[in-house]
Amino acid sequence: MEEESSIRYKIYQITDKGSSISMALSEDIELENVSQQQMMLEAIDRAIADKEVKEQIKPILEAILRSQPQTVIKTYLQTLVQISMPKRRYEKIGNPRVGDRLLIDIRKVSA
């Protein structure tokens, strides 16, 4: 079974080397911000099976965690791609700029 291989990438850096262009791309996905507190509460929720114990512990844990500074983290590791191409090819695809999106088809080709 073949996996979907066309992925949208967002350009986050362009380097003009005269006769060639290098672009740094990151996967164009929406990242959900998750607080470290939320992740800890969810882990504890999964670890404790007894509903009554959860109900007793949860308010205490929430109070403790609220007193700590919040750390927001991204929950998805992105695919990063570096592409270098002749300047002429870059011009043929419309001179994309930082923030523009590109669709790239990546798959293994059988010999």
Side-chain angles (χ1 to χ4, degrees):
M1 189 168 123
E2 193 171 305
E3 186 179 321
E4 177 65 36
S5 60
S6 293
I7 302 169
R8 289 175 50 166
Y9 289 87
K10 190 172 187 177
I11 301 170
Y12 68 88
Q13 181 179 8
I14 296 176
T15 306
D16 187 339
K17 297 179 179 178
S19 62
S20 68
I21 300 290
S22 290
M23 291 185 285
L25 313 169
S26 64
E27 203 169 346
D28 184 29
I29 54 172
E30 290 292 324
L31 297 178
E32 180 181 341
N33 291 330
V34 177
S35 74
Q36 194 172 27
Q37 293 171 351
Q38 181 181 350
M39 288 179 62
M40 289 174 72
L41 288 171
E42 288 171 2
I44 291 165
D45 194 48
R46 287 189 303 268
I48 299 173
D50 188 307
K51 188 176 180 180
E52 189 174 313
V53 172
K54 280 184 194 180
E55 288 175 3
Q56 292 173 358
I57 293 176
K58 197 169 183 179
I60 297 166
L61 288 173
E62 287 174 347
I64 292 169
L65 293 173
R66 269 196 301 267
S67 68
Q68 302 296 313
Q70 281 210 19
T71 304
V72 177
I73 53 179
K74 302 289 185 182
T75 59
Y76 181 83
L77 296 173
Q78 292 180 297
T79 301
L80 304 174
V81 176
Q82 179 78 33
I83 296 178
S84 294
M85 67 179 67
K87 196 166 200 170
R88 183 79 178 127
R89 177 173 287 167
Y90 173 77
E91 291 167 351
K92 284 184 177 182
I93 63 171
N95 297 312
R97 297 286 175 220
V98 171
D100 287 350
R101 290 165 178 79
L102 300 176
L103 183 65
I104 299 175
D105 185 33
I106 301 174
R107 71 181 92 196
K108 180 181 178 186
V109 178
S110 300

